[in-house]
Amino acid sequence: MFFSDLIASWKGLKKFGKLPGEQRRVVFYSEGASNLKFLRPIMEQLVSGYQLDICYVTSDRADPFLVQNLEQIRTFFISSESALIIFFEGLEADILATTTPDLGTFHVKRSWHPVHYAYIQHSVVSSHMIYRTGAFDKYDSILCAGPHHINETRQWEKLLGLKPKQLFEHGYAPLDAIHEVMPERYEPPGGIEDTRVIVAPSWGPDGLLETVGEDVVGNLLDAGYRVTVRPHPRTRQLNPQKLETLNTRFAGNAAFSMEDNVTGFDSYLASDILISDWSGAALEFALGLERPVLFIDLPRKINNPDYQRIEATPIEIFIREQIGMIIDPENIGQISAAVETVIENYSGFIPAIREARGKWIFNFGESGKKGAEIIFALLEQVSGQSNSSDVSG
């Protein structure tokens, strides 16, 4: 697989390089198919609403866009690190839009050529605690999910004396997609045997699956709940043995399932309550479906040790009690009772969840349209700067 991907990557790079400049003015880059839910709504709106030709470069061989014959969206597969380095450093385009943070830190480098780099937020969570230090510093613009992203970014820029980026009120595509397919009428479960629980945590050494996952799933199954585990893609990459352990222990229980494909929302729609740690999935589930979350109070996921240098409490901290309940990991043995309590108070969470969504999410239901509007405006802006430069030269 390594050599076939290597060969395919260099073919993809060569194919991209042969495109005339006017056909690769706007380039979208995706690390994998799971990022399509953030990029696809914008791309489709750019094609249908603005008749733009755009390029889509993916590092996922299984990305469904690679086999879709879309006339105005040209697709390319580039996954090998050597080919990606050449692709990014030599990129000639007006705009590169992506959900990949840490621009300039790893293999995703800024080009030698003038390119405008636009970051599309791929989580509702904070931009300063869960992401690495400087994850967004080298972007020219950020399409923000909510006002907290604007506040955090401006404070961070001021702290470090960075050049202010262009920040846009965008929104969050997964919430729109989830809400669009949400049933008009939803009845909370009548009892334990009817309650469907989804466990969808973050990833890392302090994550739910990595620490208390077996106890959580075991206690819930013993209590009679139906349980689906939806692991983060990074857990599958970095800690597959943990998922194998869960499968080995619980696969024989008809009430247990492990989700292999996390690009869709079927498991969300089929669940009554979500259990998580510090994952952005919790906010997607609650704000999209208006259903509560039970948070296990594990250590915070802190990838930026300097996050407290700005006066902005991360949304994933202060919003938890609005959209659900919190349980101490020392009380995992009581988790089935905690789920029952949440279900009993189900209707009380809905107004608080709607209020939180209205306050913290931009353009709910319209993020694809708004994102395309932003990218097209940036394209005109960049083109105007280029023309001015040509004239002045």
Side-chain angles (χ1 to χ4, degrees):
M1 181 63 73
F2 171 79
F3 289 107
S4 63
D5 282 358
L6 180 65
I7 293 171
S9 293
W10 285 99
K11 285 183 177 178
L13 180 64
K14 184 177 180 180
K15 176 184 172 185
F16 181 85
K18 288 183 176 179
L19 278 181
E22 65 271 14
Q23 292 182 4
R24 50 183 162 92
R25 297 177 64 199
V26 179
V27 179
F28 286 80
Y29 170 69
S30 171
E31 292 178 289
S34 60
N35 289 326
L36 262 180
K37 61 185 178 181
F38 308 103
L39 303 177
R40 185 171 191 157
I42 299 176
M43 292 192 293
E44 290 180 342
Q45 285 288 331
L46 284 171
V47 168
S48 63
Y50 297 91
Q51 288 74 53
L52 279 183
D53 288 324
I54 59 179
C55 295
Y56 176 71
V57 179
T58 177
S59 294
D60 185 352
R61 193 72 174 266
D63 194 314
F65 248 41
L66 289 173
V67 295
Q68 293 190 14
N69 187 19
L70 303 173
E71 183 177 348
Q72 289 180 268
I73 302 179
R74 293 173 174 83
T75 59
F76 307 86
F77 170 72
I78 306 175
S79 69
S80 76
E81 188 168 323
S82 56
L84 281 172
I85 290 173
I86 292 177
F87 166 73
F88 285 116
E89 291 188 348
L91 178 64
E92 291 186 73
D94 289 335
I95 294 174
L96 177 75
T98 183
T99 61
T100 303
D102 302 302
L103 177 64
T105 303
F106 300 105
H107 59 276
V108 183
K109 307 291 187 183
R110 288 189 68 109
S111 174
W112 304 317
H113 305 283
V115 178
H116 184 100
Y117 290 82
Y119 180 78
I120 299 167
Q121 287 287 357
H122 78 276
S123 182
V124 176
V125 299
S126 65
S127 60
H128 65 304
M129 185 175 82
I130 284 183
Y131 292 93
R132 296 182 184 89
T133 307
F136 312 107
D137 289 357
K138 295 184 179 179
Y139 277 95
D140 300 302
S141 60
I142 299 178
L143 279 65
C144 301
H148 54 295
H149 287 150
I150 293 179
N151 178 41
E152 294 157 3
T153 304
R154 290 297 184 230
Q155 287 198 47
W156 185 255
E157 290 171 343
K158 184 176 181 181
L159 175 70
L160 299 185
L162 300 174
K163 178 183 176 181
K165 302 169 190 59
Q166 294 187 69
L167 303 181
F168 298 96
E169 296 183 3
H170 173 216
Y172 194 64
L175 291 187
D176 300 344
I178 295 171
H179 196 75
E180 185 177 340
V181 296
M182 184 180 76
E184 290 186 16
R185 288 182 58 83
Y186 171 76
E187 295 293 335
I192 288 176
E193 66 281 359
D194 297 322
T195 303
R196 299 155 298 182
V197 180
I198 182 168
V199 180
S202 186
W203 61 278
D206 293 323
L208 189 159
L209 292 183
E210 289 80 358
T211 56
V212 296
E214 287 187 68
D215 291 336
V216 168
V217 175
N219 274 281
L220 291 171
L221 290 173
D222 288 344
Y225 292 105
R226 286 179 286 169
V227 181
T228 297
V229 174
R230 181 183 170 103
H232 192 284
R234 294 288 284 168
T235 299
R236 195 172 294 283
Q237 293 172 2
L238 301 176
N239 205 345
Q241 64 273 18
K242 178 59 67 175
L243 304 185
E244 291 175 12
T245 299
L246 285 170
N247 263 325
T248 300
R249 180 174 172 184
F250 302 115
N253 191 320
F256 170 81
S257 62
M258 176 84 72
E259 191 168 15
D260 294 324
N261 185 354
V262 298
T263 59
F265 305 115
D266 289 347
S267 59
Y268 282 174
L269 292 166
S271 301
D272 303 295
I273 181 172
L274 182 142
I275 296 178
S276 192
D277 41 26
W278 296 98
S279 174
L283 277 65
E284 290 182 8
F285 181 86
L287 300 179
L289 291 177
E290 300 174 1
R291 301 177 193 174
V293 176
L294 181 62
F295 294 93
I296 299 178
D297 200 21
L298 292 161
R300 295 178 183 178
K301 187 174 181 181
I302 302 173
N303 286 317
N304 177 7
D306 294 327
Y307 83 97
Q308 290 181 312
R309 292 181 65 190
I310 64 173
E311 296 179 0
T313 302
I315 188 173
E316 58 270 25
I317 294 176
F318 67 73
I319 203 173
R320 295 196 297 173
E321 291 184 341
Q322 285 183 264
I323 64 175
M325 287 178 52
I326 304 170
I327 183 174
D328 192 297
E330 296 294 325
N331 298 327
I332 290 301
Q334 304 299 316
I335 193 166
S336 60
V339 170
E340 190 172 359
T341 299
V342 172
I343 297 300
E344 289 174 352
N345 295 279
Y346 216 94
S347 60
F349 288 107
I350 296 175
I353 289 172
R354 289 175 177 172
E355 180 183 359
R357 185 177 63 207
K359 183 175 182 179
W360 298 109
I361 301 298
F362 291 133
N363 302 303
F364 180 61
E366 298 286 337
S367 68
K369 181 179 179 181
K370 186 64 178 179
E373 178 184 313
I374 292 167
I375 295 297
F376 187 76
L378 285 173
L379 180 61
E380 290 191 317
Q381 172 188 308
V382 171
S383 298
Q385 292 172 349
S386 176
N387 291 336
S388 297
S389 176
D390 291 343
V391 171
S392 61

